[in-house]
Amino acid sequence: MEALFRLDILKKDDILGVIAIIFVLLLTASTLFFIIGLFKPGANLKELKARTNSWWVIVLIFLAVIFVDRRISFIGIAFLSFMAFRELYSILDFRDSDRRAVFWSYLSIPINYYLAYIGWYSAFIVFIPVWIFLFLPVRLIIKGDTKGIVKSIASLQWVTMLTIFCLSHTAFLLSLPELPGFSNGGRGLLLFLVFVTEINDVAQYIWGKILGKHKIIPKISPNKTWEGFIGGVITTTLIGYALGFLTPLPVPQLLFVSFMISVSGFFGDLVISAVKRDIGIKDTGNVIPGHGGILDRIDSLLYTAPVFFHLIYYFAY
């Protein structure tokens, strides 16, 4: 049992307290929406319910990652990268001649996550941004099909960076060494990242619904407003401050990191929204029935993960 599950996590009151808070918030939100639906059947709660349900999915996935053996955690997050890569690749217009190059992007997943698993930072930080970046165009030109090759090179490299390299920073958090006086470790950092990222998504939506009047980029996301963005940033920064015990950061750095999670999460959501609007689709997949694909649920995390990781690494490690 101890080989499969990280039972030592049960001794960390800080992490268990945050997990309890998360479940209380989710249960409260789900119950509240159910009661409102009974008394006001016409209330438009579809979007809020969808976001809450997707939050349930994400929280359960990453709580599983926190509790299971570290090796299984890496395999689980690597599988998320695989699913996200496949979804984004499938909705973009790649050529038949690109398939062998795509195979090498898939192959980079286990290699990249292995580098994260062993904590080899210098190799991890250059493997995809440098070596795979240089190799993919070479593999594409070997096929001899030059029509549309510029688009294929740019698209494949971007998809690989976003869904594999960026997301793998969540896994690397689990490989960060222990620090004196900081007992929560990588699992505390991962919990902080996921929770604050999702709180930011919900807070910006709620503030936008309550106060939103001035749209930011209506052609990409009509529901995004300056009021929602600012309200979400303030809320997320304060909640990040309250959860500071999950990180080794002093207050000024903690506030800055929480602020950056909020801003980067906002742009991550916008970027994927722009891609879907360009293609003319609502969701990137249907892995989660009624709630879209994996990419729809982790779009903000794809941006917040590398931003958070490198700020933590710079400030604390």
Side-chain angles (χ1 to χ4, degrees):
M1 178 67 74
E2 291 185 0
L4 179 60
F5 296 101
R6 286 296 304 269
L7 300 182
D8 60 313
I9 206 75
L10 297 176
K11 301 176 184 178
K12 299 184 183 300
D13 295 335
D14 290 344
I15 293 179
L16 287 179
V18 174
I19 292 173
I21 292 172
I22 292 174
F23 275 103
V24 168
L25 289 174
L26 287 174
L27 287 170
T28 301
S30 297
T31 303
L32 182 61
F33 296 151
F34 175 76
I35 293 174
I36 294 176
L38 290 178
F39 288 94
K40 293 183 178 181
N44 186 14
L45 300 174
K46 184 177 179 181
E47 183 66 21
L48 276 174
K49 287 181 178 179
R51 288 175 180 267
T52 303
N53 290 337
S54 66
W55 197 17
W56 271 107
V57 173
I58 294 173
V59 165
L60 290 174
I61 289 174
F62 279 95
L63 284 184
V65 166
I66 289 173
F67 275 98
V68 299
D69 177 76
R70 182 166 164 265
R71 291 166 295 185
I72 300 177
S73 300
F74 274 81
I75 293 173
I77 302 176
F79 183 70
L80 282 181
S81 271
F82 169 81
M83 295 292 291
F85 179 91
R86 189 178 68 170
E87 283 183 0
L88 196 50
Y89 165 74
S90 65
I91 65 176
L92 297 177
D93 187 22
F94 281 96
R95 309 168 303 167
D96 290 339
S97 57
D98 297 333
R99 291 180 180 177
R100 293 190 178 182
V102 171
F103 165 78
W104 287 98
S105 286
Y106 277 123
L107 187 60
S108 71
I109 296 176
I111 299 174
N112 187 66
Y113 276 87
Y114 176 72
L115 295 175
Y117 175 76
I118 63 176
W120 191 358
Y121 177 79
S122 58
F124 169 82
I125 209 66
V126 299
F127 173 62
I128 287 180
V130 177
W131 299 113
I132 295 299
F133 172 83
L134 294 173
F135 175 75
L136 288 179
V138 174
R139 188 60 191 88
L140 285 166
I141 65 171
I142 288 175
K143 194 69 177 178
D145 182 8
T146 59
K147 184 175 179 57
I149 194 169
V150 173
K151 179 183 176 184
S152 291
I153 290 174
S155 297
L156 186 55
Q157 288 177 334
W158 179 70
V159 173
T160 303
M161 280 290 295
L162 187 67
T163 61
I164 301 175
F165 181 67
C166 289
L167 187 59
S168 65
H169 286 78
T170 61
F172 204 119
L173 288 171
L174 301 176
S175 293
L176 291 176
E178 293 187 4
L179 295 174
F182 177 57
S183 61
N184 289 320
R187 282 174 165 75
L189 293 173
L190 180 58
L191 182 60
F192 179 90
L193 169 64
V194 174
F195 185 44
V196 174
T197 297
E198 291 307 309
I199 279 289
N200 177 62
D201 181 53
V202 175
Q204 291 193 7
Y205 178 81
I206 292 176
W207 282 114
K209 283 295 184 182
I210 296 174
L211 301 175
K213 292 182 179 179
H214 302 89
K215 299 183 184 300
I216 299 180
I217 312 179
K219 291 184 178 180
I220 294 178
S221 185
N223 295 324
K224 301 286 188 186
T225 63
W226 281 107
E227 293 81 2
F229 172 69
I230 295 172
V233 167
I234 295 173
T235 301
T236 301
T237 303
L238 292 176
I239 290 178
Y241 169 75
L243 296 176
F245 55 84
L246 291 175
T247 78
L249 300 176
V251 172
Q253 295 175 354
L254 177 63
L255 292 173
F256 177 70
V257 167
S258 301
F259 169 80
M260 289 302 296
I261 287 178
S262 181
V263 174
S264 57
F266 171 80
F267 285 112
D269 189 358
L270 271 183
V271 167
I272 300 301
S273 295
V275 172
K276 292 188 289 187
R277 188 167 290 274
D278 177 43
I279 298 172
I281 59 175
K282 183 178 183 297
D283 299 316
T284 59
N286 55 5
V287 174
I288 309 173
H291 305 293
I294 293 294
L295 196 61
D296 296 304
R297 306 280 69 85
I298 63 171
D299 49 6
S300 298
L301 190 62
L302 296 176
Y303 266 59
T304 61
V307 169
F308 175 72
F309 174 89
H310 289 290
L311 287 174
I312 285 288
Y313 195 87
Y314 174 74
F315 287 138
Y317 292 90

